[in-house]
Amino acid sequence: MDFGLIDSHVHFDVKGYEIVGIQKRYIEMYGEEKWNKLQNKNRYQSKKWAQAWGFPQRQPTDADVKQTSDRWLSEMERYNIDKLVFVTGGGNDVLSRIVQEHPEHFIGYAHHSPFEADASQKLEYAIASQGLKGYKIIAPDLPGRIDDPVLNPVWAAAEKHQIPVLIHFGILGAAGGLATHENINPMILHEVARAYPDIPFIIPHFGCGYPQELLQLAWVCPNIHVDTSGSNQWTRWMPYTLTIKDLFKKYYETIGPERIIFGTDSEWFPRGFVRQYYDEQRKDCIELGMKQDEVKMIFRNNIARLLKQEET
């Protein structure tokens, strides 16, 4: 590409910090021994996935924030990446300090639970005072329905600032994760998206097992966007043949290139920026005959516009 990429979906791996929602709840219900057995029995799936993509073995995070930031800056220079959008990173306080150290390169999202008693105030503070520019929610990790009216103050705060709200739907975690939940299907966002048309909602991973529902949702709600991040291995268990190129084609035909947003779901080292995902997606867009300006929309300018960054 002859322009700087913006990766819209990256996680900053913080030493000593874990996203433990699904694991914690399982252990509380069934015990740690059963959790470990579950993970061990599914370990072959993780190995198969890593082998298929040629990924190195993931190592426990032992770097401090500065070391990790430096590694990401090196990745950006290596791959001509203009900005990284960290959708999680050790909590709002930690991630705000990280992005404020490198505001020209790093962008961060608030990522606290919308069901916290002071969630709307936390979001206001994150945007107005902490320099965060979006909001990340994991819907199947929530203790209640995402269309519960109790969350209206959170949506009102997001609409006030017109920040992008990234919401994960679909299966959560790898093999041994979570496959059913009241928020598993993105269609549950239907009334929220219609009630708050000035919030640009972003649904990652092409809908993560629910492409038909997401396509329908995006068709009726022009504030629904799709991100392309991850290996999207969920396509393997669909009841029909489905490829990443098929997904690009269907979303392109349905909602156009303006609402498709590139991401990788990069997180840990030594893997770093997942060049394999980028290469596959770029190849698919070019082979589908997209124009250069449309490719630039997907890989840079769409998320730049939503985040009020400079477009090229």
Side-chain angles (χ1 to χ4, degrees), residues 64-76:
D64 61 24
V65 165
K66 184 182 184 307
Q67 289 172 319
T68 302
S69 293
D70 289 344
R71 295 185 81 170
W72 278 120
L73 291 170
S74 295
E75 291 288 277
M76 295 178 75

Side-chain angles (χ1 to χ4, degrees), residues 54-250:
F55 291 151
Q57 184 176 356
R58 180 172 184 169
Q59 301 295 329
T61 302
D62 58 2
D64 61 24
V65 165
K66 184 182 184 307
Q67 289 172 319
T68 302
S69 293
D70 289 344
R71 295 185 81 170
W72 278 120
L73 291 170
S74 295
E75 291 288 277
M76 295 178 75
E77 183 176 359
R78 178 181 180 186
Y79 294 112
N80 191 28
I81 302 169
D82 189 22
K83 296 181 187 298
L84 293 176
V85 181
F86 292 106
V87 300
T88 64
N92 296 355
D93 293 343
V94 174
L95 186 55
S96 69
R97 292 195 296 270
I98 291 169
V99 298
Q100 287 178 37
E101 286 290 324
H102 303 282
E104 70 279 17
H105 297 299
F106 295 169
I107 294 171
Y109 284 5
H111 47 288
H112 59 284
S113 169
F115 278 95
E116 293 182 19
D118 58 347
S120 61
Q121 294 94 322
K122 279 188 175 181
L123 186 56
E124 282 276 1
Y125 181 69
I127 303 305
S129 301
Q130 293 186 300
L132 300 178
K133 300 184 181 300
Y135 190 27
K136 163 68 182 293
I137 300 171
I138 303 177
D141 199 35
L142 298 179
R145 290 175 60 94
I146 202 165
D147 61 354
D148 190 322
V150 75
L151 301 187
N152 286 346
V154 175
W155 308 131
E159 186 174 53
K160 172 185 173 182
H161 295 282
Q162 296 187 19
I163 58 169
V165 177
L166 177 74
I167 308 179
H168 176 103
F169 293 98
I171 192 166
L172 180 59
L178 190 67
T180 183
H181 189 274
E182 57 191 341
N183 292 325
I184 206 79
N185 190 323
M187 193 59 77
I188 196 173
L189 193 65
H190 183 275
E191 292 307 310
V192 176
R194 283 162 56 88
Y196 297 92
D198 288 330
I199 299 177
F201 291 100
I202 304 173
I203 313 304
H205 320 309
F206 285 111
C208 201
Y210 295 86
Q212 180 176 343
E213 290 83 353
L214 181 53
L215 282 161
Q216 292 174 345
L217 183 65
W219 176 257
V220 300
C221 298
N223 55 333
I224 296 291
H225 303 69
V226 58
D227 106 358
T228 66
S229 64
S231 65
N232 290 298
Q233 61 178 314
W234 59 265
T235 58
R236 292 165 40 219
W237 58 75
M238 296 297 287
Y240 46 83
T241 300
L242 186 65
T243 67
I244 303 302
K245 184 185 287 188
D246 294 331
L247 289 165
F248 267 114
K249 183 174 186 293
K250 186 58 66 175

